[in-house]
């Protein structure tokens, strides 16, 4: 009998705690609901006062004050829309330029490990004018194609593409330079020093060595 009584008392305590917990949860929800209602009431009150102020200005014939308030309101909304459109335009411009450069690099048969370097280099040189991107006044694709076809550009293309009219014979192969980290050998340092300043700086950023930029 004593054990049954103990179990009964324990269950009663559990039931009491559950009841307190349920009451606490309800009180919490009620408090949150009241807080939300007060916030809504405050917003409605502000809106109502704003409308009353405008109506009072109209009734009093204070057209100048009313025009000023409405002008400020519309200018604020207009600026918000302009800022939004400017952000979207910038994002669209970036996507267009990125796509053009990426496509030109693919078509140029560029070495995979050189694509990030060249992409950064070309982006840095790109200007956006009259709704189009250009590099040194040329369409992006045309500039990249010409650059990759040059003796310098041969260093960035896959071996199968590194022969051509500038070679002394049809079997000449241009030595590929693969610099994906800080130079260690003299040949790597010579290669880095041979790059044009803008290209060298882009490469240094790509390999995480900004201190080597000129």
């Amino acid at each position: 009998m004593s054990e049954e009584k103990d179990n009964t008392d324990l269950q009663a305590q559990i039931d009491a705690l559950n009841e307190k917990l349920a009451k606490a949860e309800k009180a919490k929800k009620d408090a949150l609901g009241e807080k939300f209602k007060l916030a809504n009431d405050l917003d409605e009150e502000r809106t109502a006062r704003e409308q009353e102020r405008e109506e009072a200005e109209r009734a009093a014939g204070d057209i100048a004050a009313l025009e000023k308030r409405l002008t400020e309101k519309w200018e604020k909304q207009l600026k918000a829309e302009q800022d939004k459109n400017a952000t979207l335009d910038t994002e669209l411009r970036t996507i267009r330029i990125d796509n053009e450069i990426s496509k030109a690099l693919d078509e140029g048969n560029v070495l995979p490990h050189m694509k990030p370097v060249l992409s950064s280099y070309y982006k840095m040189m790109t200007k956006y004018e009259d709704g189009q991107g250009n590099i040194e006044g040329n369409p992006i694709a045309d500039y990249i194609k010409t650059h990759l076809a040059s003796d310098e550009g041969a260093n960035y293309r896959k071996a199968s593409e590194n022969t051509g009219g500038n070679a002394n014979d049809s079997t000449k192969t241009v030595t590929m330079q693969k610099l994906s980290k800080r130079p260690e050998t003299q040949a790597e340092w010579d290669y880095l020093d041979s790059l044009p300043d803008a290209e060298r700086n882009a490469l240094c950023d790509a390999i995480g060595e900004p201190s080597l930029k000129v």
Side-chain angles (χ1 to χ4, degrees):
M1 293 295 291
S2 177
E3 183 176 350
E4 290 181 1
K5 184 177 182 302
D6 289 342
N7 289 337
T8 300
D9 291 343
L10 179 58
Q11 185 61 47
Q13 293 176 14
I14 292 174
D15 291 342
L17 289 173
N18 285 333
E19 184 178 352
K20 289 182 179 180
L21 179 60
K23 289 181 179 179
E25 288 292 334
K26 184 178 183 303
K28 181 179 179 181
K29 289 181 180 178
D30 291 343
L32 289 174
E34 183 64 22
K35 181 179 179 181
F36 182 74
K37 181 178 182 302
L38 289 174
N40 282 340
D41 290 345
L42 181 60
D43 287 339
E44 291 176 0
E45 179 67 19
R46 287 173 177 167
T47 301
R49 289 183 180 180
E50 183 74 14
Q51 292 175 346
E52 288 176 359
R53 200 158 34 237
E54 291 182 4
E55 291 173 0
E57 288 170 354
R58 286 194 183 95
D62 194 350
I63 303 301
L66 180 60
E67 287 181 346
K68 180 182 178 184
R69 288 165 51 76
L70 291 177
T71 299
E72 291 175 348
K73 176 181 178 181
W74 289 115
E75 285 180 347
K76 183 177 180 181
Q77 293 180 354
L78 177 61
K79 186 178 185 305
E81 286 298 318
Q82 289 174 334
D83 291 344
K84 179 181 178 181
N85 290 336
T87 299
L88 292 175
D89 183 62
T90 299
E91 292 175 351
L92 180 59
R93 179 188 309 177
T94 300
I95 292 172
R96 285 177 175 172
I97 291 174
D98 287 349
N99 288 342
E100 285 190 59
I101 291 176
S102 178
K103 181 180 179 181
L105 292 178
D106 288 340
E107 292 177 349
N109 206 27
V110 171
L111 288 162
H113 74 279
M114 288 303 301
K115 284 185 179 180
V117 178
L118 290 176
S119 180
S120 297
Y121 171 59
Y122 293 135
K123 286 178 188 177
M124 181 175 60
M125 295 182 65
T126 298
K127 294 182 180 179
Y128 199 83
E129 300 169 329
D130 299 326
Q132 298 292 330
N134 71 81
I135 301 178
E136 295 184 355
N138 300 298
I140 293 175
D142 292 348
Y143 180 90
I144 294 176
K145 183 178 180 179
T146 300
H147 183 222
L148 293 177
S150 66
D151 289 340
E152 178 185 329
N155 292 314
Y156 315 127
R157 300 197 309 271
K158 296 177 183 178
S160 60
E161 296 293 320
N162 287 331
T163 59
N166 292 327
N168 292 329
D169 56 69
S170 61
T171 60
K172 179 178 179 181
T173 301
V174 178
T175 301
M176 303 306 300
Q177 299 287 351
K178 297 182 180 180
L179 192 59
S180 58
K181 58 184 178 59
R182 186 182 182 87
E184 295 178 350
T185 67
Q186 186 59 47
E188 290 176 340
W189 281 108
D190 290 343
Y191 168 66
L192 181 64
D193 292 337
S194 71
L195 296 175
D197 289 350
E199 188 173 334
R200 173 183 177 133
N201 292 342
L203 176 58
C204 291
D205 286 335
I207 64 176
E209 294 289 347
S211 62
L212 300 180
K213 295 165 64 174
V214 295

